[in-house]
Amino acid sequence: MQASVVALRDPEPERVVELSRRPHPPVHYEVEINPVLELLKFKTYESGVFEAGGYKWSLCLHPQADPDRRGKPEYISLYLSMEKPNKLRDGERIVVDYKFFAYDYNSSTYVIFKEKGKELRAFTKTKTQWGFSKFLSLKAFNNPNNGYCKDKKCKFGAEVMVSNITRTTETVTIVKDPRRIITTCKIGQFSPSSKEIQSSNSFDLGKKNGERFWRWKLKVKQKDEYLSVYLQSQDHLHRIKMYVEAKLRVVNKKDRKNDKEKTVCLIQNKRADAYICKY
């Protein structure tokens, strides 16, 4: 038997609680109340303060309902309160996705209560609380089959996810029919027996048009008997991605008709260079 959950019939009638369960406790705050009978005598219980998303919060529990918000005596009211809202600037809104938890001792799981269709709520200087005037019926709360009370104890909790106004953005620019640039690079004193990476001189592919300086890097792998080739960006910003299609041609000085050519794709990612092919 699950808790009795109803639509809120006060200023926001569309707010309906959804139920789900999980074995893990709430991330941000949990309070255990003992004994429950003494709790039910209180008109208001304000929990300790906890931090989430860079702000201070608390839970406000009305065991006999909140008469100021049309709560009825047969329901427990529960709200999330922002601490020190006066620190907010005029017009500032702190957007939050919050969840309430009630522990079910019978199944050792937490019942999760949240709003349906209104996942985000804004806290301001004048709107410092969000929650439910009819959070949980006392009939369901006191019913031992629901497991909300055991050995005169109960547990409530909350998770608060603050939607940060400052966000990271990314721009993807696709160049249609980009201009093709041909350049020739020489590697002086190249040695196929060297184990070190050997590099060409830097070449410019038109930095004024958004392109950058590049160079070729070569390494001879003795074990595989391959020449590994890398294309490196010289002034590439950290973790900025660049997708490049390049055509690499190795000149055969003895027979120009047998020049070796390969089309390669370079994916510029975490590193400033990328391995692209073997010869």
Side-chain angles (χ1 to χ4, degrees):
M1 180 177 178
Q2 287 187 332
S4 173
V5 180
V6 298
L8 200 67
R9 302 186 182 280
D10 57 10
E12 288 105 8
E14 73 280 8
R15 293 166 58 197
V16 180
V17 177
E18 286 185 337
L19 284 181
S20 60
R21 291 174 178 263
R22 77 182 195 199
H24 307 295
V27 172
H28 295 119
Y29 190 76
E30 181 180 62
V31 56
E32 181 180 77
I33 301 173
N34 182 21
V36 173
L37 291 179
E38 294 301 318
L39 168 69
L40 297 178
K41 296 177 183 179
F42 294 169
K43 290 186 177 181
T44 303
Y45 167 75
E46 294 183 359
S47 75
V49 177
F50 62 95
E51 183 175 348
Y55 298 91
K56 303 289 186 180
W57 311 89
S58 65
L59 296 182
C60 184
L61 186 69
H62 297 270
Q64 301 178 29
D66 182 6
D68 295 336
R69 299 182 182 177
R70 303 182 188 178
K72 295 185 177 181
E74 62 266 27
Y75 285 91
I76 296 174
S77 301
L78 182 60
Y79 301 96
L80 174 68
S81 301
M82 170 173 271
E83 297 293 312
K84 300 181 179 180
N86 290 333
K87 290 186 176 181
L88 297 179
R89 299 185 300 271
D90 290 338
E92 185 177 3
R93 301 166 73 248
I94 307 302
V95 180
V96 168
D97 179 7
Y98 68 92
K99 302 179 182 70
F100 291 140
F101 291 72
Y103 188 64
D104 179 355
Y105 289 89
N106 292 343
S107 62
S108 298
T109 60
Y110 288 84
V111 185
I112 303 173
F113 298 81
K114 62 177 295 185
E115 295 188 62
K116 182 179 180 180
K118 288 285 186 180
E119 293 185 353
L120 300 179
R121 289 296 188 182
F123 288 77
T124 65
K125 273 188 175 182
T126 57
K127 182 61 177 177
T128 61
Q129 283 190 342
W130 282 104
F132 306 101
S133 63
K134 300 172 184 176
F135 170 65
L136 190 63
S137 72
L138 288 174
K139 182 179 179 180
F141 179 73
N142 291 318
N143 189 333
N145 293 328
N146 292 328
Y148 292 122
C149 303
K150 186 175 182 180
D151 298 329
K152 301 180 181 180
K153 296 185 295 186
C154 68
K155 291 182 183 180
F156 293 109
E159 284 183 357
V160 183
M161 308 301 292
V162 177
S163 179
N164 200 334
I165 297 175
T166 303
R167 58 182 55 84
T168 302
T169 61
E170 180 175 329
T171 301
V172 178
T173 303
I174 300 175
V175 181
K176 296 183 65 176
D177 300 324
R179 64 190 185 95
R180 299 184 180 275
I181 301 173
I182 300 175
T183 185
T184 301
C185 300
K186 295 182 180 180
I187 300 178
Q189 299 179 344
F190 174 76
S191 174
S193 61
S194 175
K195 296 181 180 180
E196 302 297 326
I197 294 178
Q198 303 173 71
S199 303
S200 71
N201 294 328
S202 298
F203 54 93
D204 181 8
L205 295 185
K207 192 174 180 181
K208 292 182 179 180
N209 295 323
E211 294 157 306
R212 299 179 179 275
F213 289 98
W214 305 83
R215 70 175 177 177
W216 290 105
K217 297 170 63 178
L218 289 82
K219 182 176 177 62
V220 178
K221 292 193 174 182
Q222 304 288 349
K223 183 178 180 180
D224 298 332
E225 296 183 348
Y226 277 106
L227 176 64
S228 299
V229 183
Y230 299 78
L231 182 61
Q232 183 186 52
S233 173
Q234 295 292 92
D235 52 0
H236 193 74
L237 298 178
H238 182 59
R239 294 189 68 88
I240 298 298
K241 300 176 183 178
M242 186 181 300
Y243 300 87
V244 178
E245 184 178 89
K247 186 172 288 188
L248 174 64
R249 173 178 291 180
V250 179
V251 178
N252 186 334
K253 294 183 178 181
K254 293 183 179 180
D255 185 1
R256 294 300 299 269
K257 293 182 179 180
N258 292 322
D259 289 353
K260 198 167 186 179
E261 184 178 280
K262 178 174 284 190
T263 300
V264 296
C265 288
L266 167 69
I267 299 180
Q268 203 80 24
N269 202 338
K270 295 181 179 179
R271 298 172 53 187
D273 56 3
Y275 171 76
I276 53 177
C277 62
K278 293 180 179 180
Y279 272 94

